[in-house]
Amino acid sequence: MNKDGIQLIIQEHREVDQMAERVLNAGIGMKDEKRRFFNQIVHDLSQHAVIEEMILYPLLRERVVGEGGPLAEHSLEEHQEVKNKLNELDNMDIEDPAFNMKFRSLMESLHHHVFEEENKILPALKAKMSPQELSDFYDSWMARKALAPTHPHPAAPNKPPMNTLGGPALKAVDAVRDMGRDFPEKV
């Protein structure tokens, strides 16, 4: 198996898109399915954002001399916007008349961020990494899933070392929150 951390990030972007389609296309009487897929988006997107903040953006700053720092800062600003929107949605009733409109706004912000990431950040970083480094990055990403929170925490630090230190504590709090939630059987 070819383990490529950059491809893993892109794959996770596509998985969120697929689940978002299920949320947006859930018809009347599909409230439970809509909730399950939204819960999975909250879980996966929260982890994805925090792991990017833990390892992707520091690596970008280190490897892409000159524009890596500004690209990372811009991405952190976009992450904050997404976290704020996701947090608001996570605390809404899924049947609230404003939910779909706010969810679409979240997805527009997310698509903008993903477009920039996949067309600027990831190619620039991948060009600076060996196959072994891409594999190591993949392993590091997967290891951090055990430590990353599963809900948005807009007030939490988004840069190392504080985000790395706070992640496990927030993950424990989120594990309790997730006990009462349903998720799709297969995503």
Side-chain angles (χ1 to χ4, degrees):
M1 178 175 131
N2 183 18
K3 296 189 301 182
D4 179 334
I6 301 297
Q7 283 307 121
L8 176 62
I9 291 171
I10 294 168
Q11 175 188 332
E12 288 188 4
H13 291 163
R14 297 302 169 272
E15 289 169 0
V16 168
D17 272 345
Q18 291 171 357
M19 290 184 287
E21 286 299 314
R22 299 287 297 260
V23 169
L24 289 169
N25 293 327
I28 297 170
M30 298 176 73
K31 173 187 167 193
D32 292 341
E33 177 177 329
K34 183 176 184 174
R35 173 51 69 189
R36 283 192 299 274
F37 279 96
F38 178 70
N39 287 344
Q40 193 68 52
I41 289 170
V42 169
H43 178 280
D44 293 358
L45 195 54
S46 296
Q47 284 197 319
H48 183 93
V50 168
I51 297 169
E52 283 186 344
E53 293 164 3
M54 286 178 172
I55 61 173
L56 178 67
Y57 300 141
L59 189 60
L60 179 67
R61 283 186 173 93
E62 174 189 314
R63 296 287 179 93
V64 182
V65 178
E67 65 177 36
L71 285 171
E73 285 304 314
H74 178 70
S75 291
L76 289 172
E77 290 169 11
E78 290 179 340
H79 271 209
Q80 191 63 44
E81 178 184 352
V82 167
K83 286 182 198 177
N84 289 338
K85 289 179 178 185
L86 189 60
N87 188 57
E88 181 180 7
L89 285 162
D90 195 24
N91 290 299
M92 283 180 80
D93 183 329
I94 205 144
E95 292 186 300
D96 185 312
F99 182 88
N100 280 354
M101 179 186 69
K102 289 178 183 278
F103 186 76
R104 281 187 178 86
S105 174
L106 165 70
M107 292 311 296
E108 286 172 15
S109 297
L110 188 59
H111 286 141
H112 171 81
H113 171 71
V114 165
F115 179 83
E116 288 181 351
E117 193 167 270
E118 290 183 4
N119 288 283
K120 288 182 184 177
I121 292 171
L122 298 179
L125 192 54
K126 190 168 188 166
K128 305 284 185 182
M129 297 174 77
S130 70
Q132 183 60 51
E133 289 169 324
L134 289 167
S135 178
D136 292 346
F137 183 78
Y138 178 100
D139 292 339
S140 182
W141 184 280
M142 296 306 289
R144 281 178 176 69
K145 283 191 179 263
L147 304 172
T150 59
H151 290 269
H153 296 276
N158 62 5
K159 293 179 187 171
M162 296 309 293
N163 66 344
T164 304
L165 296 172
L170 294 173
K171 168 81 174 195
V173 170
D174 291 349
V176 173
R177 286 179 73 185
D178 287 340
M179 282 199 270
R181 291 189 171 209
D182 291 326
F183 294 90
E185 295 204 15
K186 289 187 180 182
V187 178

